[in-house]
Amino acid sequence: MTKYLLEKFKELVPYTPGEQPQGGFIKLNTNESPFPPSERARERMKAAFDKLNLYNDPENAELTKVIARCYGLDKENVLVTNGSDEALAFLYIAYAEKGKPFAAPEISYGFYPVFSRLVGAEVKTFPLKEDFSVDEEAFIDCDDNVIFANPNAQTGTFMAVEHIERMLSKPRLVIVDEAYVDFGAQSVKPLVKSRDNLVVVGTLSKSRALAGGRIGFVIAAREIIDELKLIKYSFNPYNLGRAAEALAIGAFEDEKYFSECVSKVIEAREFTDKAVKELGMVTVKSQANFILMRAPGIDGGELKEKLMERGVLVRHFSTPGLSPFIRVTIGSMEQMKTFVKVLKNIISGA
Ligand code: PMP
């Protein structure tokens, strides 16, 4: 560390992304889609290539309209971002600081505490309930701005919309990170029309198979979108490049492919949940594209290593509460059948 780094950043603990090895593994560790992007996205991106010498539209007007239309909202309710991580960063920069934290679930997306520390806000969390679901009453009762993923990150549990509606009746921001909502949960995006304190964050990284395209978005009341634009235009006005915008438009134009991919993931998730339970695993019921699970008698870290030795990559978190578990991304049916076979060998000691 040099003497030039500002004091306030010296203790920063950055987010650790999941490993990205160069091939050779069945990759079930970072909640990506096992399917390639839509062909329509490829066509759109090819057409965008010829204009890459020019800056893109800083408003990303075309994509903004496509997203607004998809969710039945106005374009003024949408801001597109460089991955939803950037959307989250803008929200923390705009609305959190020392003495003004966002309350979050204790077990959730690991970036929330990182952003809190980056902007100097306290890390305020509520424990999960015994069944690993988010404690809705704690969020309803508190007066802070709140943020949570729904379905929740790492656990895949889902909070019913009626609880979120109760949170919204207090004058504070309710930020719902819907990264995984397309895999069988109910979205609160339509509520943005009537609620000026609801902020929904979305991504094309999961259900629309574009993690490497880096495309996210915020859906909120016009005033909130305008405030987030203050941050965006003070930071990186061309934040979503021409190629990424084209990919995203192509993905939204191919709803048939999107639905097919989502259905296949849901089918593979239900298969996996049943098959691993038959092997004696304990799972948390998931509405997302991953399952948190543990093998009685084997620590999560050890199980992750054993799977890795056999060519299957899953995620393990050594944080309290999660260390007995592994988090397994749902891949294709074929990948999940292999995963189950490998797991069976480990459990039986073969
Ligand atoms: N929110 C949640 C809950 C996530 O799990 C992730 C990624 N793993 C993100 C946001 C960020 O996704 P991206 O930046 O790829 O849109």
Side-chain angles (χ1 to χ4, degrees), residues 234-246:
S234 306
F235 186 71
N236 184 7
Y238 300 103
N239 62 341
L240 191 67
R242 201 180 274 283
E245 181 172 18

Side-chain angles (χ1 to χ4, degrees), residues 15 83-85 88 109 112 149 153 177 179-180 203 205-206 214-216:
Y15 178 71
S84 58
D85 282 338
L88 296 168
Y109 185 33
Y112 305 153
D177 180 347
Y180 302 105
T203 179
S205 295
K206 317 292 176 185
R214 311 304 304 129
I215 307 131

Side-chain angles (χ1 to χ4, degrees), residues 19 21 25-29 304 307-308 311-315:
E19 297 147 273
F25 284 99
I26 294 186
K27 195 170 176 302
L28 308 178
N29 69 328
K304 179 208 154 166
L307 284 161
M308 204 155 115
V312 181
L313 206 56
V314 300
R315 192 91 192 257

Side-chain angles (χ1 to χ4, degrees), residues 107-120:
I107 293 176
S108 192
Y109 185 33
F111 230 135
Y112 305 153
V114 174
F115 283 133
S116 298
R117 289 188 289 260
L118 185 68
V119 301

Side-chain angles (χ1 to χ4, degrees), residues 18-21 25-34 268 272 276 289-293 304 307 311-317 326-343:
E19 297 147 273
Q20 297 294 346
F25 284 99
I26 294 186
K27 195 170 176 302
L28 308 178
N29 69 328
T30 43
N31 297 346
E32 292 139 329
S33 171
T272 307
V276 302
N289 67 339
F290 56 84
I291 301 178
L292 192 68
M293 59 178 83
K304 179 208 154 166
L307 284 161
V312 181
L313 206 56
V314 300
R315 192 91 192 257
H316 174 254
F317 300 91
I326 54 170
R327 191 199 64 192
V328 182
T329 300
I330 302 302
S332 64
M333 187 61 97
E334 196 191 342
Q335 288 177 318
M336 300 324 288
K337 284 185 176 162
T338 307
F339 164 73
V340 171
K341 211 184 287 174
V342 172
L343 188 65

